[in-house]
Amino acid sequence: MSDSENPYSPFSSRMDWEIAQWAKLRGPSSTAFSDLLSIKGISDLFEVNEHLGLSYKNSRELNDIIYKQLPGHPRFRRKQIIVAGEAFDIYHRDVLECIKALYGDLDFADYLVFAPERHYTDDDETVRLYSDMHTGKWWWNTQKKLDEQRLGATIVPVIISTDKTQVTMFRNKTAYPVYLTIGNIPKEIRHKPSRRAHVLLAYLPTTPNLYHACMACVLSPLENAGLDGLAMHSGDGILRRCHPLFACFIGDYPEQVLATTVKTMECPKCDIPPDELESATAPFEIRDLHAVLDALATIDVGDLEFVQAYRDAGIKPVVHPFWERLPYANIFQAVTPNILHQLYQGLVKHLLGWLAQACGPNEIDARCRRLPPNHHIRLFMKGITGLSRVSGAKHAQICCFLLGIIIDAQLPGNMSSTRLLRAVHGLLDFLYLAQYPCHSSETLSLLDEALVLFHDNKQIFVDLAKDAYHATNRKDEFTQMTQWLERKEKIVRHAKSIRWQLHDNTPHHPSPRPASLSFDRTRTLAKHPSAKAISFQTLISDYGATYFREALARYIAQQNQLDESLSRSRLKALAANVHLPFHSVAVYHKIKWLSVDARGHGDPLITVDSVHVMPRRTGTRQKNDALPARFDTALINNGTGQSVGVEGYRVGQIRAIFSIRERDAQFLFPPTHQPPKHLAYIEWFKPFPSTPDSRHGMYKINRLVHSGERVASIIPVSNIVRSVHLIPKFGPVAPRHWTSNNVLEECDTFFVNCYIDRHSFVTLR
């Protein structure tokens, strides 16, 4: 087969390619892989069988193929810079070549944005929408400035992020990686690591006084390219005059201070005094870039004048910060707060400490261990107050239930919890609102309101008084890290090329769709039931569907009298005459909701929600794999519910999901009203109250009980909208006999958790 006919080229066959892919992405160390190929039986197998022939005999030969014959991102360069007479090494790629690689990537060709846009919610264009970089003010204003110089410019916003990383625990080595992406790629794609829309641009020395010299060296090509532009091909083959401009800098607070050259404990963006940082009303202005540039220009005047000019400008005396000569750059606007560093790793980290002090760590942890399970809830069975080195992902998981577990906790001195709940309510609302995919003037005002709610109640807290390194041999690690990364990137890129050649080599151009707050999802159940024939008695004893026969009879009677308004007594009488010609049903143990690729970005379907409905599984002594019963709660639409708000919805606990055989359905139901394939037995909670609790914004609900028995009925599964997480009303001290497995049965009063995901936050408030 010629190379033009072989999609796996330069590898000789699919087997040849898949072994190489496994070795570099999932396999053992290079030495172990070479040892594997040298084993007598294995090496003979590949040499004798032509179809199993490999293009390489060891890791060195495989690496040689990858380096010389596979396309990839630009190679890393090792460069020395001299600072104060001392030489330091930096490892970096050509920044312009990295930008070209992202801009010209076939994977992004259909989704790139080339011009700024203004989006509005109304025909009068009074309420503006902000969803991505091209809908914001920076791109629009900068495009105007460029067009004044020369029409036809295409802006390529350069986004730089840094994250000082400890690469080994036992030798305390650190790397300072710098990443690059471009704002032409939609944020929904940039935010997914699997789409590989970020490029590792450089490894910098971690010595603070070298930072700006190294960054200036790496980004210096942007000076001329940003002003004059350069011809670049996008993935669709169109050539444009592009101007790569430094637009955003992403990092934690110490990195923002380092980049902006402001002093520690000061705001990197504005001129608010350090002692006013906690104020919600102190006046402030964005730092004056022109004043800072004027101060930088005094470096040749004299040391005293230079230092004084810097002091007056409010920055530290750094010689030639990296952004000084970058065209159209304003570092104080480019520094952007982000969800990970400023909110989860900053705000939430401190909040956890405050709450542990206020409510007591033992009580906080006891409540965490007694939360019912849910698709969106991680159960911290050892509690949360003793966690160390907590990641942003864990902080996000904790936020899903944090407010609910402190609602009725006892505070020192029997202090009222109202201010505490409102302060936490304000912070969490701000956190969730900030993650909206699209903002308008209205949602921005909601952000302000959430912040005000926190500031109005924050006094209560006063009153209460990383991966590549591990693949190296720890010698000359930066060289090995860059080589390891290049090989991995080339393998991934070649895998994309093969998929494109084999399956999808037809270009498609979806129409760009603006971001919205819609939550499109698809409900799905398994093709085959989890159990084909579960008897009514088993449904009662193992599933807790106590009144299954009666509920099913009532459902059948209702469906046969749809033209009649039935009283309770009339329905009961009709149900008593229903004869069921079967004594078992097929049951399903799970409903899933899958994401929908609403923006047309080619995203794979993922499970975004689920409910579990299954009895206890006994397990074996040897494996000790017994599983407790789980019957999740869900939000159910009575047919009048809208996309936002709780009107028309009820909460129910699902005890069984089942289907009736077609021949039985034909016998029991009229031909014009055959039942849906999937039905559910639901135990109901009382309707939502008219308003949520003003202190914490959650609805309080109770079980619906009649004559001491739980009220239940049969509904179509299509009425089940999503899972719901209920937080028990613990009281001042969580009852110690409650567990995560039994709390839904032991507790009668719950709070409907509106923080488990963005959909619940929008819907259940």
Side-chain angles (χ1 to χ4, degrees), residues 388-402:
S388 60
R389 300 182 66 85
V390 184
S391 66
K394 281 187 179 178
H395 276 140
Q397 292 159 353
I398 291 169
C399 286
C400 290
F401 57 77
L402 186 59

Side-chain angles (χ1 to χ4, degrees), residues 11-22:
F11 299 96
S12 60
S13 64
R14 176 177 176 179
M15 172 78 73
D16 192 21
W17 154 245
E18 289 187 347
I19 290 176
Q21 185 182 32
W22 170 82

Side-chain angles (χ1 to χ4, degrees), residues 548-608:
F548 182 82
R549 286 191 187 91
E550 295 83 350
L552 182 56
R554 287 197 303 271
Y555 179 74
I556 294 170
Q558 282 178 318
Q559 296 302 304
N560 279 275
Q561 303 290 333
L562 289 175
D563 298 332
E564 181 181 348
S565 180
L566 301 176
S567 65
R568 180 180 296 179
S569 58
R570 170 69 173 153
L571 179 61
K572 185 177 180 180
L574 290 172
N577 293 323
V578 173
H579 170 70
L580 299 177
F582 54 90
H583 301 283
S584 64
V585 290
V587 300
Y588 300 78
H589 287 168
K590 192 175 185 179
I591 306 173
K592 294 195 299 185
W593 285 266
L594 304 180
S595 62
V596 174
D597 184 20
R599 302 289 309 278
H601 290 159
D603 296 329
L605 294 180
I606 59 172
T607 301
V608 294

Side-chain angles (χ1 to χ4, degrees), residues 347-456:
L347 181 152
V348 175
K349 177 182 177 181
H350 293 298
L351 180 60
L352 289 177
W354 298 336
L355 293 179
Q357 184 180 18
C359 305
N362 292 336
E363 184 61 24
I364 291 286
D365 292 341
R367 292 167 183 243
C368 290
R369 291 191 289 268
R370 288 161 176 80
L371 291 173
N374 179 272
H375 175 88
H376 303 275
I377 297 295
R378 173 173 176 173
L379 297 177
F380 290 85
M381 301 310 292
K382 295 183 179 180
I384 59 176
T385 62
L387 297 174
S388 60
R389 300 182 66 85
V390 184
S391 66
K394 281 187 179 178
H395 276 140
Q397 292 159 353
I398 291 169
C399 286
C400 290
F401 57 77
L402 186 59
L403 179 57
I405 64 174
I406 65 167
I407 283 178
D408 48 5
Q410 190 169 12
L411 300 184
N414 290 322
M415 185 183 298
S416 170
S417 63
T418 298
R419 287 185 299 158
L420 178 68
L421 294 176
R422 286 177 176 170
V424 177
H425 181 196
L427 282 182
L428 289 181
D429 277 10
F430 184 90
L431 175 65
Y432 278 67
L433 286 164
Q435 297 179 72
Y436 275 16
C438 181
H439 277 288
S440 67
S441 54
E442 296 168 352
T443 60
L444 293 176
S445 68
L446 291 176
L447 273 171
D448 288 336
E449 290 174 12
L451 207 53
V452 168
L453 182 62
F454 166 72
H455 280 292
D456 287 348

Side-chain angles (χ1 to χ4, degrees), residues 635 646 649-651 686-690 699-701 752 764:
L635 187 68
V646 298
Y649 291 97
R650 291 274 291 277
V651 173
K686 291 181 179 178
F688 285 98
S690 57
Y699 288 96
K700 184 169 73 172
I701 60 173
V752 181
L764 300 175

Side-chain angles (χ1 to χ4, degrees), residues 44-63:
D44 291 345
L45 176 66
F46 288 132
E47 289 177 4
V48 171
N49 191 326
E50 179 181 349
H51 296 292
L52 297 180
L54 297 184
S55 307
Y56 41 86
K57 297 178 181 177
N58 49 49
S59 287
R60 181 183 56 78
E61 292 185 6
L62 174 56
N63 290 342

Side-chain angles (χ1 to χ4, degrees), residues 8 38 45 105 128-129 131 239 255 275 423 463 472 568 674 679 704:
Y8 307 101
S38 67
L45 176 66
D105 195 314
R128 189 168 170 184
L129 292 175
S131 59
L239 186 68
E255 290 162 348
D275 57 355
D463 295 341
T472 74
R568 180 180 296 179
Q674 287 293 293
L679 299 168
L704 181 60

